[in-house]
Amino acid sequence: MSGAFDPEALRAFRSRDWMAVREAKEQFWVEQQLRQGPLAALVMSAGLWEHARALDPTWPGAEQRAEDLAHHVELAERIRRVAHVFAGR
């Protein structure tokens, strides 16, 4: 990024209707899910993967993969512990 920030542009950004932005994003993803079903999540995740690799072609490294696996193991354990709450629904 180069050059100075335009104070008026910063004020305009700060003054945006952030609730409307949030609602528009939520509506977009609802429509994507309705149109594409589970494929919507796969398309989005592929885009995020490509972006991350463009920023760092070595991503994910061995340490990041190990952290990710540990997180998934912990999440699976938490889900297993509360699964009985949702049984029979």
Side-chain angles (χ1 to χ4, degrees):
M1 185 171 246
S2 63
F5 286 103
D6 175 6
E8 191 55 40
L10 290 173
R11 280 190 281 279
F13 181 78
R14 184 189 65 209
S15 299
R16 288 178 85 176
D17 182 354
W18 290 105
M19 184 58 75
V21 171
R22 180 180 182 167
E23 290 171 358
K25 286 182 178 184
E26 289 176 359
Q27 185 59 38
F28 171 82
W29 287 113
V30 165
E31 291 171 7
Q32 286 292 99
Q33 181 68 29
L34 291 173
R35 271 197 304 279
Q36 296 179 325
L39 181 61
L42 291 174
V43 169
M44 180 190 63
S45 65
L48 290 171
W49 177 271
E50 290 172 13
H51 177 70
R53 293 288 293 200
L55 295 174
D56 179 3
T58 65
W59 181 87
E63 184 177 327
Q64 291 161 319
R65 286 180 184 267
E67 289 173 5
D68 188 54
L69 177 60
H71 171 76
H72 281 84
V73 168
E74 179 184 346
L75 179 61
E77 176 59 22
R78 288 179 179 198
I79 292 171
R80 187 193 62 72
R81 287 195 310 245
V82 299
H84 68 278
V85 174
F86 303 100
R89 286 190 176 189

